[in-house]
Amino acid sequence: MGVVLRWGWVLGVALLAPAALPAGGGERRQPEIRRSDSSGPLFAGTSCELRVSPLAVAPSLRRLAVGTPLNVLRRWHGDDGKDWLQVQIASGSGECLAGVVRRGWLNV
């Protein structure tokens, strides 16, 4: 009977007070949520080409001038291991002309 009480006590303590063990025990502190504080535009660097889709073999829509302000719409991690950004030329820049392509994909 003493063995049953002893194991019952050990199991009760283990259920109520999880230990932080390397083998997958409970984590006492919550991970921090980190967000980017930068709300400004991204600027195009050298040899930036807007592409139709996030593929290295996708046709180029246009070449961007160095310093063109861009707004990031979304990020994509391709099957080939490359990271891509879908961007739009920021309004108010000299690149915003009628009939000119303003959205596309950049390889980062």
Side-chain angles (χ1 to χ4, degrees):
M1 183 70 173
V3 173
V4 172
L5 287 176
R6 187 178 316 147
W7 280 108
W9 182 80
V10 169
L11 289 175
V13 169
L15 290 173
L16 296 176
L21 300 174
E27 174 114 11
R28 293 183 187 249
R29 62 184 173 103
Q30 297 294 323
E32 295 179 25
I33 297 175
R34 296 181 185 207
R35 293 194 174 115
S36 174
D37 292 334
S38 63
S39 59
L42 178 73
F43 294 99
T46 58
S47 70
C48 283
E49 290 190 32
L50 283 181
R51 298 198 177 270
V52 175
S53 65
L55 297 171
V57 295
S60 176
L61 292 170
R62 66 181 285 195
R63 184 175 294 271
L64 298 175
V66 176
T68 303
L70 304 168
N71 293 326
V72 178
L73 302 175
R74 105 177 72 162
R75 178 178 286 270
W76 180 264
H77 184 73
D79 295 335
D80 57 356
K82 295 181 180 180
D83 288 327
W84 293 83
L85 295 176
Q86 185 181 28
V87 296
Q88 178 176 349
I89 296 174
S91 60
S93 69
E95 298 284 327
C96 295
L97 302 171
V100 176
V101 176
R102 296 185 59 212
R103 283 188 182 189
W105 292 88
L106 290 177
N107 186 3
V108 257

